[in-house]
Amino acid sequence: MTMLRLMWDRFEEALIVFLLAAMTLVTFVYVMLNNIYTLFYAIGEYFAEGSEATSEFFYSIGDFFLDAVQTMTWSNALTKALFAWLIFFGLAYGVRIGGHIGVDALVKLTSRSVQRVIAVLACLFCLGYAALLSVASFEWINTLMQAAIGADDLGQFGVQQWHIGMIVPIGFTLVFIRFVEIFVRLVRNQQVGLGLADEAADAMKLSETEGSKK
């Protein structure tokens, strides 16, 4: 069970890295192609008076890159799709690492037993919310599957809208699973709160660290 959990955690991290890298690569290629053709046009213009053949050669290269840019209308749609997958897959990852910001300043003024009760109630609300959106989004994806509508600018590659949108029920299902894990730890008294990020505490630690260095 521990090995399976470790494998899933590593897969989760690897997928997030892949999505970020793919977004960066697609954007980089598009920006480069969108600017490099002007360089060859400038070189062609430089040789225009001296050698017409050389000038036409560089112009043709510029035309090639310009055509490549014009055919990359799908790049923006692909980047949006990857970003959507990153957001909804990252929801569960954020719960796992405590990356979501906790609004619990008043809660922390209470005793540990009260904090634990409040955390259990909050966790139940989160479970209900995640379950509701998982079911609702699954019905939405089922409708898109039946409609078989192509995704904007990606339909030419056989990508349909439900291919992109399926991350919504997957993401909220993973969020539900992560909160189930938190709920189990709360019931077993292995933790007090939801384990969310505390920006104020982090800022205080950073301030204390900088002060000790001085």
PDB file of all heavy atoms in Angstrom, residues 103-133:
ATOM      1  N   VAL A 103      -7.968  29.938   5.801  1.00  0.00           N
ATOM      2  CA  VAL A 103      -8.521  31.131   6.453  1.00  0.00           C
ATOM      3  C   VAL A 103      -8.999  30.686   7.840  1.00  0.00           C
ATOM      4  O   VAL A 103     -10.180  30.411   8.055  1.00  0.00           O
ATOM      5  CB  VAL A 103      -9.677  31.732   5.632  1.00  0.00           C
ATOM      6  CG1 VAL A 103     -10.150  33.043   6.253  1.00  0.00           C
ATOM      7  CG2 VAL A 103      -9.265  31.953   4.192  1.00  0.00           C
ATOM      8  N   ASP A 104      -8.066  30.589   8.766  1.00  0.00           N
ATOM      9  CA  ASP A 104      -8.384  29.999  10.061  1.00  0.00           C
ATOM     10  C   ASP A 104      -7.741  30.756  11.222  1.00  0.00           C
ATOM     11  O   ASP A 104      -7.390  30.149  12.234  1.00  0.00           O
ATOM     12  CB  ASP A 104      -7.959  28.537  10.087  1.00  0.00           C
ATOM     13  CG  ASP A 104      -6.486  28.363   9.698  1.00  0.00           C
ATOM     14  OD1 ASP A 104      -5.826  29.380   9.429  1.00  0.00           O
ATOM     15  OD2 ASP A 104      -6.017  27.211   9.668  1.00  0.00           O
ATOM     16  N   ALA A 105      -7.596  32.060  11.065  1.00  0.00           N
ATOM     17  CA  ALA A 105      -6.963  32.852  12.126  1.00  0.00           C
ATOM     18  C   ALA A 105      -7.772  32.780  13.423  1.00  0.00           C
ATOM     19  O   ALA A 105      -7.213  32.627  14.514  1.00  0.00           O
ATOM     20  CB  ALA A 105      -6.802  34.301  11.675  1.00  0.00           C
ATOM     21  N   LEU A 106      -9.104  32.882  13.319  1.00  0.00           N
ATOM     22  CA  LEU A 106      -9.950  32.817  14.515  1.00  0.00           C
ATOM     23  C   LEU A 106     -10.007  31.407  15.085  1.00  0.00           C
ATOM     24  O   LEU A 106     -10.062  31.222  16.313  1.00  0.00           O
ATOM     25  CB  LEU A 106     -11.370  33.311  14.185  1.00  0.00           C
ATOM     26  CG  LEU A 106     -11.503  34.786  13.781  1.00  0.00           C
ATOM     27  CD1 LEU A 106     -12.941  35.120  13.421  1.00  0.00           C
ATOM     28  CD2 LEU A 106     -11.017  35.679  14.912  1.00  0.00           C
ATOM     29  N   VAL A 107      -9.989  30.419  14.198  1.00  0.00           N
ATOM     30  CA  VAL A 107     -10.061  29.027  14.647  1.00  0.00           C
ATOM     31  C   VAL A 107      -8.862  28.684  15.522  1.00  0.00           C
ATOM     32  O   VAL A 107      -8.986  27.980  16.530  1.00  0.00           O
ATOM     33  CB  VAL A 107     -10.126  28.075  13.428  1.00  0.00           C
ATOM     34  CG1 VAL A 107     -10.058  26.614  13.887  1.00  0.00           C
ATOM     35  CG2 VAL A 107     -11.387  28.321  12.627  1.00  0.00           C
ATOM     36  N   LYS A 108      -7.695  29.217  15.171  1.00  0.00           N
ATOM     37  CA  LYS A 108      -6.479  28.899  15.917  1.00  0.00           C
ATOM     38  C   LYS A 108      -6.448  29.550  17.296  1.00  0.00           C
ATOM     39  O   LYS A 108      -5.556  29.239  18.096  1.00  0.00           O
ATOM     40  CB  LYS A 108      -5.255  29.318  15.109  1.00  0.00           C
ATOM     41  CG  LYS A 108      -5.035  28.439  13.881  1.00  0.00           C
ATOM     42  CD  LYS A 108      -3.774  28.803  13.138  1.00  0.00           C
ATOM     43  CE  LYS A 108      -3.539  27.858  11.971  1.00  0.00           C
ATOM     44  NZ  LYS A 108      -2.312  28.192  11.207  1.00  0.00           N
ATOM     45  N   LEU A 109      -7.391  30.429  17.560  1.00  0.00           N
ATOM     46  CA  LEU A 109      -7.482  31.023  18.899  1.00  0.00           C
ATOM     47  C   LEU A 109      -8.186  30.091  19.876  1.00  0.00           C
ATOM     48  O   LEU A 109      -8.138  30.301  21.082  1.00  0.00           O
ATOM     49  CB  LEU A 109      -8.224  32.361  18.834  1.00  0.00           C
ATOM     50  CG  LEU A 109      -7.545  33.479  18.006  1.00  0.00           C
ATOM     51  CD1 LEU A 109      -8.438  34.721  17.980  1.00  0.00           C
ATOM     52  CD2 LEU A 109      -6.186  33.816  18.594  1.00  0.00           C
ATOM     53  N   THR A 110      -8.850  29.058  19.369  1.00  0.00           N
ATOM     54  CA  THR A 110      -9.571  28.119  20.221  1.00  0.00           C
ATOM     55  C   THR A 110      -8.641  26.995  20.675  1.00  0.00           C
ATOM     56  O   THR A 110      -7.493  26.887  20.242  1.00  0.00           O
ATOM     57  CB  THR A 110     -10.776  27.522  19.467  1.00  0.00           C
ATOM     58  OG1 THR A 110     -10.286  26.803  18.325  1.00  0.00           O
ATOM     59  CG2 THR A 110     -11.701  28.629  18.980  1.00  0.00           C
ATOM     60  N   SER A 111      -9.153  26.136  21.530  1.00  0.00           N
ATOM     61  CA  SER A 111      -8.367  25.000  22.023  1.00  0.00           C
ATOM     62  C   SER A 111      -8.197  23.954  20.924  1.00  0.00           C
ATOM     63  O   SER A 111      -8.915  23.961  19.922  1.00  0.00           O
ATOM     64  CB  SER A 111      -9.065  24.362  23.231  1.00  0.00           C
ATOM     65  OG  SER A 111     -10.337  23.849  22.840  1.00  0.00           O
ATOM     66  N   ARG A 112      -7.248  23.047  21.120  1.00  0.00           N
ATOM     67  CA  ARG A 112      -6.974  22.023  20.115  1.00  0.00           C
ATOM     68  C   ARG A 112      -8.183  21.119  19.881  1.00  0.00           C
ATOM     69  O   ARG A 112      -8.433  20.702  18.746  1.00  0.00           O
ATOM     70  CB  ARG A 112      -5.768  21.182  20.539  1.00  0.00           C
ATOM     71  CG  ARG A 112      -4.446  21.939  20.468  1.00  0.00           C
ATOM     72  CD  ARG A 112      -3.293  21.044  20.906  1.00  0.00           C
ATOM     73  NE  ARG A 112      -3.124  19.901  20.055  1.00  0.00           N
ATOM     74  CZ  ARG A 112      -2.396  19.891  18.929  1.00  0.00           C
ATOM     75  NH1 ARG A 112      -1.786  20.991  18.535  1.00  0.00           N
ATOM     76  NH2 ARG A 112      -2.286  18.781  18.204  1.00  0.00           N
ATOM     77  N   SER A 113      -8.921  20.821  20.930  1.00  0.00           N
ATOM     78  CA  SER A 113     -10.103  19.958  20.762  1.00  0.00           C
ATOM     79  C   SER A 113     -11.165  20.640  19.903  1.00  0.00           C
ATOM     80  O   SER A 113     -11.785  20.006  19.042  1.00  0.00           O
ATOM     81  CB  SER A 113     -10.684  19.592  22.132  1.00  0.00           C
ATOM     82  OG  SER A 113     -11.049  20.768  22.850  1.00  0.00           O
ATOM     83  N   VAL A 114     -11.354  21.946  20.117  1.00  0.00           N
ATOM     84  CA  VAL A 114     -12.324  22.693  19.317  1.00  0.00           C
ATOM     85  C   VAL A 114     -11.833  22.811  17.879  1.00  0.00           C
ATOM     86  O   VAL A 114     -12.617  22.691  16.923  1.00  0.00           O
ATOM     87  CB  VAL A 114     -12.569  24.094  19.927  1.00  0.00           C
ATOM     88  CG1 VAL A 114     -13.466  24.926  19.012  1.00  0.00           C
ATOM     89  CG2 VAL A 114     -13.182  23.973  21.303  1.00  0.00           C
ATOM     90  N   GLN A 115     -10.541  23.040  17.716  1.00  0.00           N
ATOM     91  CA  GLN A 115      -9.975  23.121  16.374  1.00  0.00           C
ATOM     92  C   GLN A 115     -10.197  21.813  15.608  1.00  0.00           C
ATOM     93  O   GLN A 115     -10.506  21.830  14.413  1.00  0.00           O
ATOM     94  CB  GLN A 115      -8.474  23.408  16.447  1.00  0.00           C
ATOM     95  CG  GLN A 115      -8.120  24.812  16.913  1.00  0.00           C
ATOM     96  CD  GLN A 115      -6.612  25.050  16.908  1.00  0.00           C
ATOM     97  OE1 GLN A 115      -5.905  24.577  16.022  1.00  0.00           O
ATOM     98  NE2 GLN A 115      -6.121  25.780  17.901  1.00  0.00           N
ATOM     99  N   ARG A 116     -10.050  20.719  16.312  1.00  0.00           N
ATOM    100  CA  ARG A 116     -10.227  19.420  15.667  1.00  0.00           C
ATOM    101  C   ARG A 116     -11.674  19.215  15.243  1.00  0.00           C
ATOM    102  O   ARG A 116     -11.941  18.713  14.142  1.00  0.00           O
ATOM    103  CB  ARG A 116      -9.803  18.315  16.639  1.00  0.00           C
ATOM    104  CG  ARG A 116      -9.879  16.909  16.056  1.00  0.00           C
ATOM    105  CD  ARG A 116      -9.157  15.924  16.949  1.00  0.00           C
ATOM    106  NE  ARG A 116      -9.441  14.548  16.572  1.00  0.00           N
ATOM    107  CZ  ARG A 116     -10.446  13.839  17.057  1.00  0.00           C
ATOM    108  NH1 ARG A 116     -11.256  14.363  17.968  1.00  0.00           N
ATOM    109  NH2 ARG A 116     -10.645  12.598  16.652  1.00  0.00           N
ATOM    110  N   VAL A 117     -12.628  19.609  16.076  1.00  0.00           N
ATOM    111  CA  VAL A 117     -14.048  19.484  15.728  1.00  0.00           C
ATOM    112  C   VAL A 117     -14.377  20.354  14.510  1.00  0.00           C
ATOM    113  O   VAL A 117     -15.064  19.920  13.576  1.00  0.00           O
ATOM    114  CB  VAL A 117     -14.934  19.881  16.924  1.00  0.00           C
ATOM    115  CG1 VAL A 117     -16.401  19.960  16.498  1.00  0.00           C
ATOM    116  CG2 VAL A 117     -14.767  18.894  18.069  1.00  0.00           C
ATOM    117  N   ILE A 118     -13.880  21.583  14.536  1.00  0.00           N
ATOM    118  CA  ILE A 118     -14.116  22.485  13.412  1.00  0.00           C
ATOM    119  C   ILE A 118     -13.487  21.927  12.139  1.00  0.00           C
ATOM    120  O   ILE A 118     -14.074  22.008  11.046  1.00  0.00           O
ATOM    121  CB  ILE A 118     -13.554  23.894  13.715  1.00  0.00           C
ATOM    122  CG1 ILE A 118     -14.328  24.527  14.872  1.00  0.00           C
ATOM    123  CG2 ILE A 118     -13.625  24.789  12.479  1.00  0.00           C
ATOM    124  CD1 ILE A 118     -13.767  25.862  15.311  1.00  0.00           C
ATOM    125  N   ALA A 119     -12.299  21.335  12.259  1.00  0.00           N
ATOM    126  CA  ALA A 119     -11.622  20.759  11.107  1.00  0.00           C
ATOM    127  C   ALA A 119     -12.415  19.592  10.525  1.00  0.00           C
ATOM    128  O   ALA A 119     -12.505  19.432   9.305  1.00  0.00           O
ATOM    129  CB  ALA A 119     -10.227  20.309  11.500  1.00  0.00           C
ATOM    130  N   VAL A 120     -13.003  18.772  11.404  1.00  0.00           N
ATOM    131  CA  VAL A 120     -13.821  17.647  10.942  1.00  0.00           C
ATOM    132  C   VAL A 120     -15.036  18.155  10.169  1.00  0.00           C
ATOM    133  O   VAL A 120     -15.368  17.644   9.088  1.00  0.00           O
ATOM    134  CB  VAL A 120     -14.261  16.765  12.126  1.00  0.00           C
ATOM    135  CG1 VAL A 120     -15.317  15.760  11.680  1.00  0.00           C
ATOM    136  CG2 VAL A 120     -13.065  16.044  12.732  1.00  0.00           C
ATOM    137  N   LEU A 121     -15.709  19.187  10.724  1.00  0.00           N
ATOM    138  CA  LEU A 121     -16.867  19.759  10.039  1.00  0.00           C
ATOM    139  C   LEU A 121     -16.471  20.374   8.699  1.00  0.00           C
ATOM    140  O   LEU A 121     -17.158  20.182   7.683  1.00  0.00           O
ATOM    141  CB  LEU A 121     -17.537  20.814  10.928  1.00  0.00           C
ATOM    142  CG  LEU A 121     -18.204  20.300  12.210  1.00  0.00           C
ATOM    143  CD1 LEU A 121     -18.713  21.472  13.046  1.00  0.00           C
ATOM    144  CD2 LEU A 121     -19.352  19.361  11.863  1.00  0.00           C
ATOM    145  N   ALA A 122     -15.353  21.111   8.698  1.00  0.00           N
ATOM    146  CA  ALA A 122     -14.874  21.725   7.458  1.00  0.00           C
ATOM    147  C   ALA A 122     -14.515  20.662   6.428  1.00  0.00           C
ATOM    148  O   ALA A 122     -14.800  20.814   5.233  1.00  0.00           O
ATOM    149  CB  ALA A 122     -13.664  22.605   7.744  1.00  0.00           C
ATOM    150  N   CYS A 123     -13.915  19.569   6.893  1.00  0.00           N
ATOM    151  CA  CYS A 123     -13.546  18.487   5.995  1.00  0.00           C
ATOM    152  C   CYS A 123     -14.782  17.829   5.383  1.00  0.00           C
ATOM    153  O   CYS A 123     -14.799  17.483   4.200  1.00  0.00           O
ATOM    154  CB  CYS A 123     -12.709  17.454   6.742  1.00  0.00           C
ATOM    155  SG  CYS A 123     -11.958  16.208   5.686  1.00  0.00           S
ATOM    156  N   LEU A 124     -15.828  17.677   6.190  1.00  0.00           N
ATOM    157  CA  LEU A 124     -17.087  17.113   5.685  1.00  0.00           C
ATOM    158  C   LEU A 124     -17.700  18.008   4.620  1.00  0.00           C
ATOM    159  O   LEU A 124     -18.212  17.525   3.598  1.00  0.00           O
ATOM    160  CB  LEU A 124     -18.064  16.901   6.838  1.00  0.00           C
ATOM    161  CG  LEU A 124     -17.719  15.769   7.814  1.00  0.00           C
ATOM    162  CD1 LEU A 124     -18.698  15.758   8.986  1.00  0.00           C
ATOM    163  CD2 LEU A 124     -17.743  14.417   7.092  1.00  0.00           C
ATOM    164  N   PHE A 125     -17.655  19.321   4.843  1.00  0.00           N
ATOM    165  CA  PHE A 125     -18.147  20.267   3.837  1.00  0.00           C
ATOM    166  C   PHE A 125     -17.327  20.147   2.543  1.00  0.00           C
ATOM    167  O   PHE A 125     -17.886  20.175   1.444  1.00  0.00           O
ATOM    168  CB  PHE A 125     -18.101  21.697   4.365  1.00  0.00           C
ATOM    169  CG  PHE A 125     -19.259  22.066   5.232  1.00  0.00           C
ATOM    170  CD1 PHE A 125     -19.084  22.352   6.580  1.00  0.00           C
ATOM    171  CD2 PHE A 125     -20.548  22.130   4.712  1.00  0.00           C
ATOM    172  CE1 PHE A 125     -20.154  22.691   7.388  1.00  0.00           C
ATOM    173  CE2 PHE A 125     -21.634  22.464   5.516  1.00  0.00           C
ATOM    174  CZ  PHE A 125     -21.437  22.744   6.859  1.00  0.00           C
ATOM    175  N   CYS A 126     -16.022  20.035   2.679  1.00  0.00           N
ATOM    176  CA  CYS A 126     -15.146  19.902   1.511  1.00  0.00           C
ATOM    177  C   CYS A 126     -15.434  18.605   0.761  1.00  0.00           C
ATOM    178  O   CYS A 126     -15.446  18.586  -0.476  1.00  0.00           O
ATOM    179  CB  CYS A 126     -13.681  19.944   1.939  1.00  0.00           C
ATOM    180  SG  CYS A 126     -13.122  21.554   2.542  1.00  0.00           S
ATOM    181  N   LEU A 127     -15.675  17.530   1.513  1.00  0.00           N
ATOM    182  CA  LEU A 127     -16.019  16.260   0.888  1.00  0.00           C
ATOM    183  C   LEU A 127     -17.337  16.365   0.125  1.00  0.00           C
ATOM    184  O   LEU A 127     -17.461  15.862  -0.999  1.00  0.00           O
ATOM    185  CB  LEU A 127     -16.115  15.161   1.950  1.00  0.00           C
ATOM    186  CG  LEU A 127     -14.795  14.642   2.524  1.00  0.00           C
ATOM    187  CD1 LEU A 127     -15.038  13.753   3.729  1.00  0.00           C
ATOM    188  CD2 LEU A 127     -14.013  13.880   1.455  1.00  0.00           C
ATOM    189  N   GLY A 128     -18.317  17.023   0.732  1.00  0.00           N
ATOM    190  CA  GLY A 128     -19.601  17.200   0.068  1.00  0.00           C
ATOM    191  C   GLY A 128     -19.479  18.037  -1.193  1.00  0.00           C
ATOM    192  O   GLY A 128     -20.075  17.722  -2.231  1.00  0.00           O
ATOM    193  N   TYR A 129     -18.693  19.098  -1.098  1.00  0.00           N
ATOM    194  CA  TYR A 129     -18.480  19.990  -2.250  1.00  0.00           C
ATOM    195  C   TYR A 129     -17.783  19.238  -3.383  1.00  0.00           C
ATOM    196  O   TYR A 129     -18.206  19.319  -4.554  1.00  0.00           O
ATOM    197  CB  TYR A 129     -17.650  21.187  -1.812  1.00  0.00           C
ATOM    198  CG  TYR A 129     -17.317  22.161  -2.915  1.00  0.00           C
ATOM    199  CD1 TYR A 129     -18.256  23.068  -3.382  1.00  0.00           C
ATOM    200  CD2 TYR A 129     -16.039  22.174  -3.487  1.00  0.00           C
ATOM    201  CE1 TYR A 129     -17.945  23.967  -4.397  1.00  0.00           C
ATOM    202  CE2 TYR A 129     -15.715  23.065  -4.504  1.00  0.00           C
ATOM    203  CZ  TYR A 129     -16.673  23.959  -4.943  1.00  0.00           C
ATOM    204  OH  TYR A 129     -16.355  24.838  -5.947  1.00  0.00           O
ATOM    205  N   ALA A 130     -16.727  18.508  -3.057  1.00  0.00           N
ATOM    206  CA  ALA A 130     -15.984  17.761  -4.072  1.00  0.00           C
ATOM    207  C   ALA A 130     -16.850  16.672  -4.699  1.00  0.00           C
ATOM    208  O   ALA A 130     -16.803  16.459  -5.920  1.00  0.00           O
ATOM    209  CB  ALA A 130     -14.722  17.152  -3.462  1.00  0.00           C
ATOM    210  N   ALA A 131     -17.639  15.987  -3.879  1.00  0.00           N
ATOM    211  CA  ALA A 131     -18.513  14.928  -4.398  1.00  0.00           C
ATOM    212  C   ALA A 131     -19.576  15.511  -5.319  1.00  0.00           C
ATOM    213  O   ALA A 131     -19.875  14.963  -6.391  1.00  0.00           O
ATOM    214  CB  ALA A 131     -19.167  14.180  -3.242  1.00  0.00           C
ATOM    215  N   LEU A 132     -20.180  16.636  -4.908  1.00  0.00           N
ATOM    216  CA  LEU A 132     -21.218  17.277  -5.716  1.00  0.00           C
ATOM    217  C   LEU A 132     -20.680  17.684  -7.084  1.00  0.00           C
ATOM    218  O   LEU A 132     -21.296  17.414  -8.120  1.00  0.00           O
ATOM    219  CB  LEU A 132     -21.764  18.495  -4.977  1.00  0.00           C
ATOM    220  CG  LEU A 132     -22.828  19.324  -5.716  1.00  0.00           C
ATOM    221  CD1 LEU A 132     -24.075  18.487  -5.957  1.00  0.00           C
ATOM    222  CD2 LEU A 132     -23.178  20.573  -4.916  1.00  0.00           C
ATOM    223  N   LEU A 133     -19.508  18.329  -7.097  1.00  0.00           N
ATOM    224  CA  LEU A 133     -18.936  18.778  -8.361  1.00  0.00           C
ATOM    225  C   LEU A 133     -18.426  17.607  -9.200  1.00  0.00           C
ATOM    226  O   LEU A 133     -18.438  17.683 -10.431  1.00  0.00           O
ATOM    227  CB  LEU A 133     -17.807  19.770  -8.103  1.00  0.00           C
ATOM    228  CG  LEU A 133     -18.268  21.144  -7.593  1.00  0.00           C
ATOM    229  CD1 LEU A 133     -17.072  22.069  -7.418  1.00  0.00           C
ATOM    230  CD2 LEU A 133     -19.253  21.781  -8.565  1.00  0.00           C
TER     231      LEU A 133
END
